[in-house]
Amino acid sequence: MAGRALPPVGVFALQGDVREHVAVLRGLGADVLEVRTPAHLDEVGGLVIPGGESSVMDKLSRLFGLRDPLRERIANGMPVYGTCAGLIMLADRLHDAIDGQLSFGGLDVAVRRNAFGTQLDSFETDLAVPVLGEPPVHAVFIRAPVVDEVGAGVEVLAALDDGRVVAVEQGRLMGTSFHPEVAGESRFHARFLEHVAAAS
């Protein structure tokens, strides 16, 4: 695999803070495609699902025919990184979902939406993330979810001081409750690109 070019990576672009993720990935040298259709999805070797509104992402993914192809790609091992609403979309189980809300699944976790309250309850903190080394990650939480339950095959990457889990990884799937792209933090995206390289 040495010397092989990294395939293009996608950012789910039907809803959410797409531009920020595109900027971080391009800053790391990746070829980035905004994914809005199944044809776009076919072109990428990995996908970032941004923060936004998970229930809207669910509805739009069905409307644009992306839900089933994306679930199939996740099941077949495509690397995916989800932030905030993206983490919700990757969770196998949702606590406090709105009626009829579905996720894409793949991560063996249960996630609680808006676990920290409203937009007014947004906060920032520094998190130790051992797999990323030093310095700590400056984490921005905006109407953030929290991981309530972690399956046996899931690694906890970070937790708050009170023990609430806010970053997880399972194989080539990774999710964070917070927004690294807002804080100028690129190490999670770099780790995602490593997964893409390993899968390609």
Side-chain angles (χ1 to χ4, degrees):
M1 222 70 75
R4 186 170 170 182
L6 195 71
V9 294
V11 177
F12 180 91
L14 294 178
Q15 202 265 341
D17 64 330
V18 176
R19 285 181 304 175
E20 292 85 346
H21 286 284
V22 170
V24 173
L25 290 165
R26 286 187 175 149
L28 291 169
D31 180 12
V32 186
L33 179 68
E34 295 185 8
V35 172
R36 295 183 175 87
T37 68
H40 293 159
L41 184 64
D42 288 342
E43 296 183 41
V44 301
L47 186 72
V48 172
I49 306 176
E53 175 47 60
S54 59
S55 60
V56 177
M57 288 181 178
D58 171 36
K59 290 174 184 172
L60 290 176
S61 71
R62 292 189 244 181
L63 185 64
F64 282 78
L66 261 178
R67 173 178 160 75
D68 291 340
L70 183 46
R71 282 174 57 83
E72 186 175 336
R73 288 291 305 277
I74 291 170
N76 289 334
M78 179 178 69
V80 184
Y81 172 36
T83 63
C84 197
L87 166 62
I88 296 169
M89 295 306 297
L90 283 176
D92 281 345
R93 301 173 299 283
L94 303 182
H95 291 165
D96 76 350
I98 67 169
D99 284 349
Q101 181 175 355
L102 300 173
S103 65
F104 302 135
L107 274 174
D108 184 13
V109 297
V111 169
R112 183 173 304 279
R113 299 164 64 248
N114 300 336
F116 299 97
T118 68
Q119 195 93 9
L120 296 175
D121 299 303
S122 301
F123 66 99
E124 302 180 22
T125 190
D126 288 333
L127 286 174
V129 185
V131 297
L132 300 183
E134 294 291 340
V137 168
H138 188 69
V140 178
F141 291 81
I142 305 169
R143 288 180 60 219
V146 72
V147 179
D148 278 344
E149 300 167 6
V150 176
V154 178
E155 180 182 359
V156 173
L157 299 183
L160 297 173
D161 290 342
D162 62 10
R164 286 185 288 183
V165 174
V166 293
V168 292
E169 187 173 61
Q170 181 180 3
R172 293 177 178 146
L173 301 179
M174 184 169 56
T176 58
S177 298
F178 48 89
H179 293 266
E181 75 285 358
V182 171
E185 169 62 66
S186 64
R187 286 174 289 172
F188 282 101
H189 292 77
R191 188 172 179 86
F192 160 72
L193 292 177
E194 290 171 5
H195 289 319
V196 174
S200 67

